[in-house]
Amino acid sequence: MDGVPAPLRCFRECHSAEMFVDDGVETVTSVEQKKVEHNIEEVLSVYKQMHSLPQPTLLREQHYQYLKKGLRHLSDAYECLDASRPWLCFWILHSLELLEEPIPSAIASDVCQFLARCQSPTGGFAGGPGQHAHLAPTYAAVNALCIIGTEEAYNVIDREKLLDFLWSVKQPDGSFVMHIGGEVDVRSAYCAASVASLTNILTPKLFEDTINWIVRCQNWEGGLSGVPGLEAHGGYTFCGTAALVILGKEHMLDLKALMRWVVSRQMRFEGGFQGRCNKLVDGCYSFWQAGLLPLLHRALSREGETELSQQRWMFEQQALQEYILLFCQNPAGGLVDKLGKSRDFYHTCYCLSGLSIAQHFGNTDLHQELILGKEENKLAPTHPVYNICPEKVAQALEYFYRLPVPEDHRQPGAAAEDRPSDSAAASGSADCHT
Ligand SMILES: CC(C)=CCC/C(C)=C/CC/C(C)=C/COP(=O)(O)OP(=O)(O)O
Ligand SMILES: [Zn+2]
């Protein structure tokens, strides 16, 4: 059965470019914005000539071939991502799970062995073998291993040392640096909370003061910035909000102001999202921004602020699907930021993740689908906190929550060798989780 027809034009009330021009003065961004809108109009007019009833199609087979190849061979263009190799594993594996394409067991095992080589002897994962541990590839590696979801995959993670690493990047004010000697921003709090919760090493002490630090990142715009006092941005807003959801404290944000900010980031003409006010649409914000709506919906329904019977997220789900399917697909496979840009695995992962959010409303209890185009366009649902499929989250939690939480006597910024000896630690309580 076919899904709903495309909402061509009905969402497109006005050209955003007009709003980017202040008193007739053009800026670099307003000129770029006009180009984006021109490109969209051109593609739309060709599309309308070819199709009387618009039915955008997800190019499943092309995306599958592009992703499958990427697991074994990367072009020279990826040399610059030599310090982000676990990310490439996550982006590709998550895209494949959204497309419901199984990962052959030999490839899954090779990925496990590769990620094991990225694990630092002092805990956490690095961007590549022999590099220093960093929170971003640690998040990507743990997510990739949870997607694989085998005993071999789970066993790669040294949880005791992972906790050492998290403490080594914890700061006295509650924030985290991305790596020892590195920068602080709210991505790190999310990466730390995500891996700690998935692998059952989350202790209240580890996130002491983190909640207040994240809440300080929400600014007058309603969204969150990377550190307190800067401009709100979708990437950081997602990270801060999802971290607070993991820590059970999302209601400490001004949720209504956040809702107003994020829904205003959906572009009226393009249908996709921008990352921050007065900037351009980009396919990857289909997840970083639209992914906030399930988090907000849950938080606001708990506070009795949204109708539980509501059947839609509070953004134009069809318009976002249209943006991704009509303007972000490379005909040879892979997805892009915007028309005219090259495909890459990051945008493939986050465009597909956003498409999945826009297609599935609710959770396993109450589930409503809104599929633009044919039913074959339907992707698997994604978990809005971790961005891996919900069954894989449940399976990982089931596995790791059978294991005890490691003893935690560590201090912010402490190196692994500063930890009390194992025998001293072992004299304490065996399991502080309960
Ligand atoms: C888990 C994890 C590590 C998440 C990453 C979150 C994320 C996407 C952060 C984005 C950071 C940022 C300020 C981008 C702006 O880039 P820009 O100025 O090039 O783009 P813009 O014009 O769209 O703002
Ligand atoms: Zn992007």
Side-chain angles (χ1 to χ4, degrees):
M1 199 189 79
D2 289 352
V4 291
L8 287 181
R9 299 285 104 185
C10 63
F11 183 74
R12 301 201 164 83
E13 287 165 13
C14 62
H15 285 215
S16 313
E18 290 153 19
M19 298 191 288
F20 279 66
V21 182
D22 186 13
D23 294 336
V25 179
E26 292 206 317
T27 64
V28 173
T29 309
S30 72
V31 171
E32 287 299 312
Q33 177 65 24
K34 278 192 187 144
K35 281 189 206 153
V36 170
E37 291 179 7
H38 173 78
N39 289 344
I40 286 185
E41 265 177 345
E42 254 187 11
V43 169
L44 270 180
S45 76
V46 173
Y47 190 84
K48 279 179 182 164
Q49 280 163 23
M50 290 164 59
H51 305 266
S52 50
L53 223 190
Q55 286 288 7
T57 304
L58 178 67
L59 305 173
R60 277 184 171 277
E61 183 57 25
Q62 291 88 328
H63 299 322
Y64 171 60
Q65 293 302 336
Y66 169 66
L67 292 160
K68 194 172 75 169
K69 188 167 177 221
L71 271 180
R72 291 280 187 211
H73 303 280
L74 293 172
S75 70
D76 298 355
Y78 282 88
E79 201 179 324
C80 58
L81 289 182
D82 186 54
S84 301
R85 295 174 69 185
W87 275 115
L88 288 157
C89 298
F90 166 62
W91 296 331
I92 295 175
L93 293 180
H94 181 50
S95 301
L96 288 171
E97 67 167 350
L98 288 171
L99 292 166
E100 297 185 87
E101 293 289 352
I103 302 151
S105 55
I107 293 189
S109 182
D110 287 351
V111 174
C112 292
Q113 287 167 41
F114 171 70
L115 292 174
R117 290 174 50 223
C118 294
Q119 190 164 218
S120 160
T122 51
F125 291 81
Q131 300 178 18
H132 289 298
H134 188 293
L135 273 170
T138 297
Y139 163 81
V142 169
N143 263 8
L145 291 165
C146 290
I147 293 171
I148 293 171
T150 56
E151 189 84 18
E152 181 188 14
Y154 295 143
N155 282 337
V156 168
I157 305 166
D158 185 330
R159 295 165 62 245
E160 188 81 47
K161 287 192 174 156
L162 179 56
L163 186 56
D164 284 340
F165 171 62
L166 297 182
W167 271 111
S168 72
V169 285
K170 172 87 192 278
Q171 302 302 294
D173 67 354
S175 65
F176 288 80
V177 285
M178 294 299 290
H179 59 97
I180 294 175
E183 75 281 19
V184 169
D185 66 59
V186 74
R187 289 172 306 155
S188 55
Y190 168 62
C191 293
S194 176
V195 299
S197 58
L198 277 174
T199 62
N200 187 26
I201 58 168
L202 194 156
T203 64
K205 220 173 118 221
L206 178 62
F207 290 95
E208 203 172 349
D209 295 325
T210 305
I211 292 155
N212 289 330
W213 188 86
I214 297 173
V215 170
R216 286 176 47 224
C217 292
Q218 185 171 33
N219 74 5
W220 57 272
E221 297 175 86
L224 278 71
S225 50
V227 293
L230 298 186
E231 182 185 15
H233 192 283
Y236 298 129
T237 304
F238 175 84
C239 288
T241 308
L244 288 175
V245 169
I246 293 172
L247 301 172
K249 295 289 180 199
E250 66 275 28
H251 56 270
M252 285 179 63
L253 293 170
D254 181 342
L255 294 172
K256 283 189 188 169
L258 174 52
M259 174 70 92
R260 198 171 49 243
W261 179 82
V262 64
V263 297
S264 309
R265 303 282 73 76
Q266 187 169 24
M267 308 292 274
R268 287 189 167 272
F269 183 73
E270 300 89 321
F273 282 79
Q274 63 185 179
R276 45 183 160 150
C277 192
N278 283 334
K279 299 252 13 214
L280 306 180
V281 69
D282 179 339
C284 66
Y285 300 131
S286 307
F287 178 76
W288 300 119
Q289 300 283 29
L292 282 160
L293 276 300
L295 304 180
L296 277 168
H297 183 88
R298 182 169 158 276
L300 289 169
S301 16
R302 284 186 171 186
E303 290 188 352
E305 293 285 353
T306 52
E307 285 284 327
L308 282 172
S309 57
Q310 189 188 306
Q311 304 279 293
R312 304 277 302 254
W313 303 130
M314 284 187 62
F315 70 96
E316 274 294 337
Q317 292 173 239
Q318 276 174 258
L320 179 60
Q321 294 183 44
E322 187 186 291
Y323 177 70
I324 297 167
L325 292 173
L326 289 183
F327 311 122
C328 293
Q329 295 193 91
N330 182 314
L335 291 98
V336 303
D337 158 348
K338 57 177 70 59
L339 284 166
K341 297 271 183 181
S342 310
R343 63 184 176 173
D344 62 69
F345 294 109
Y346 166 81
H347 285 95
T348 301
C349 169
Y350 289 106
C351 285
L352 292 179
S353 304
L355 182 59
S356 166
I357 297 278
Q359 290 177 338
H360 300 274
F361 169 83
N363 50 34
T364 35
D365 301 334
L366 170 68
H367 192 153
Q368 178 87 22
E369 286 165 6
L370 193 145
I371 313 295
L372 181 67
K374 293 198 187 313
E375 196 64 13
E376 297 90 84
N377 288 355
K378 183 162 82 182
L379 295 172
T382 194
H383 192 297
V385 171
Y386 298 101
N387 198 22
I388 61 181
C389 286
E391 317 81 73
K392 295 301 172 72
V393 174
Q395 199 186 308
L397 296 180
E398 199 186 311
Y399 183 87
F400 289 114
Y401 280 70
R402 281 199 293 247
L403 308 175
V405 182
E407 279 298 327
D408 197 4
H409 300 289
R410 300 151 174 90
Q411 296 293 328
E417 57 270 22
D418 299 339
R419 173 159 48 103
S421 71
D422 284 348
S423 56
S427 63
S429 133
D431 183 358
C432 61
H433 178 60
T434 52

